[in-house]
Amino acid sequence: VLTHELTKDPAFVAKFVAEARAAAKLQHPNVVQVFDVEHDGDTYFIAMELMHDGSLEDWLKQNGAMPVDRALRVVADAAAGLAYAESLDIVHRDIKPDNLMLDQHGAVKIADLGLARTEAETEEKMIGTPHFMAPEQVLRKTVDHRADLYALGCTFYRLVTGRTPFRGTTVKDILRAQVKDEAEPAHKARPDVPVEVSAIIQKLMAKEPNDRFQTANELLEQLQVLLQPPAKKGLWIALAAAGVLVASGAIYW
């Protein structure tokens, strides 16, 4: 429900209704569904899908760091939702555990995709969630879908280690670290995190957008390799080795 303060601004109300209707057209298994936007007098509200198990932030507060295999599935769900957003040229700009919701089956869906925000809210979110902001966002540079991938990397880090990649006594310290510092690798912060998982997180959190995964689908491909059952992973390795032998034999012949 929109606060009455916001409904005093007709321009924002019009934008809110238009973008909520646009958001209602977004349909993907990993995006929280918006059903309708309506008003009763000067009270404006959105009807949305109910996410029974709350957010990933709720889960972390109750359970601590997430098992790596589950975190991989969670991040793959979020990446699938971001791939859909990317196909529509939508940049979320506020990916974090609070905005990744769990349904009753354990699937993760992105909340607030495509919904209008006031300028004041945008400023507040910048200050309020510095732990997940891409360097280009901090520096007020042009932002594209790769900023969402950076935020997903910070989220992934928090899921598997139980803490954020950068900490500081002030917001300014954290924002400076996002721009200038390298986070301690996840496998060093929590030794049972596999090195290959830690490498994916590090690539997502690269300071330069060109050094990250360039698309959510590229990230998904890497995650799906790690999500394969051990026997299947072994089979792929064996097939690859066989391919090398066949190729070597052909060259020799």
Side-chain angles (χ1 to χ4, degrees):
V1 177
L2 275 184
T3 65
H4 284 292
E5 279 299 312
L6 291 175
T7 59
K8 292 176 183 175
D9 179 354
F12 177 74
V13 170
K15 180 183 177 188
F16 176 82
V17 170
E19 294 200 11
R21 285 177 179 156
K25 295 177 183 176
L26 304 180
Q27 293 191 358
H28 188 275
N30 300 112
V31 174
V32 176
Q33 180 69 52
V34 174
F35 295 121
D36 201 4
V37 57
E38 259 301 345
H39 69 97
D40 179 12
D42 61 352
T43 300
Y44 285 79
F45 59 90
I46 295 178
M48 304 175 76
E49 178 181 6
L50 176 63
M51 301 302 290
H52 292 78
D53 289 350
S55 69
L56 288 181
E57 186 63 30
D58 296 330
W59 193 97
L60 287 165
K61 286 175 180 174
Q62 291 171 17
N63 302 284
M66 187 176 280
V68 173
D69 58 344
R70 181 168 186 190
L72 282 167
R73 294 193 299 273
V74 160
V75 173
D77 280 354
L82 286 179
Y84 175 67
E86 192 180 316
S87 73
L88 300 172
D89 292 324
I90 296 173
V91 181
H92 190 288
R93 291 183 173 84
D94 197 25
I95 294 294
K96 58 184 179 180
D98 270 319
N99 278 333
L100 297 176
M101 313 299 291
L102 287 159
D103 70 9
Q104 66 268 44
H105 306 297
V108 166
K109 304 189 181 191
I110 300 172
D112 291 351
L113 186 66
L115 292 181
R117 295 188 180 98
T118 63
E119 290 302 317
E121 277 183 311
T122 303
E123 291 297 317
E124 186 179 334
K125 283 179 184 290
M126 276 198 65
I127 301 303
T129 53
H131 294 290
F132 306 96
M133 287 176 58
E136 62 269 27
Q137 224 172 333
V138 176
L139 297 171
R140 308 295 179 93
K141 293 182 178 179
T142 302
V143 169
D144 62 22
H145 62 275
R146 293 171 297 180
D148 286 344
L149 292 175
Y150 182 95
L152 185 58
C154 295
T155 297
F156 199 172
Y157 190 102
R158 171 141 168 68
L159 291 176
V160 297
T161 67
R163 62 181 178 86
T164 52
F166 301 107
R167 289 170 291 178
T169 54
T170 67
V171 167
K172 188 175 180 180
D173 288 341
I174 298 166
L175 294 178
R176 183 198 58 76
Q178 292 284 26
V179 174
K180 295 183 176 292
D181 297 346
E182 294 296 332
E184 180 184 24
H187 69 279
K188 291 187 177 179
R190 181 181 164 195
D192 61 338
V193 174
V195 173
E196 56 267 34
V197 172
S198 186
I200 287 175
I201 295 171
Q202 289 297 108
K203 186 169 181 178
L204 281 167
M205 293 196 306
K207 302 299 182 188
E208 290 294 329
N210 287 338
D211 294 333
R212 298 173 203 153
F213 292 97
Q214 294 303 289
T215 66
N217 278 323
E218 187 185 335
L219 167 62
L220 264 175
E221 287 175 11
Q222 291 288 312
L223 295 173
Q224 283 163 357
V225 170
L226 296 179
L227 283 166
Q228 287 175 359
K232 192 173 282 190
K233 271 194 276 193
L235 174 62
W236 279 111
I237 292 168
L239 287 172
V244 170
L245 288 173
V246 169
S248 299
I251 292 167
Y252 175 77
W253 177 255

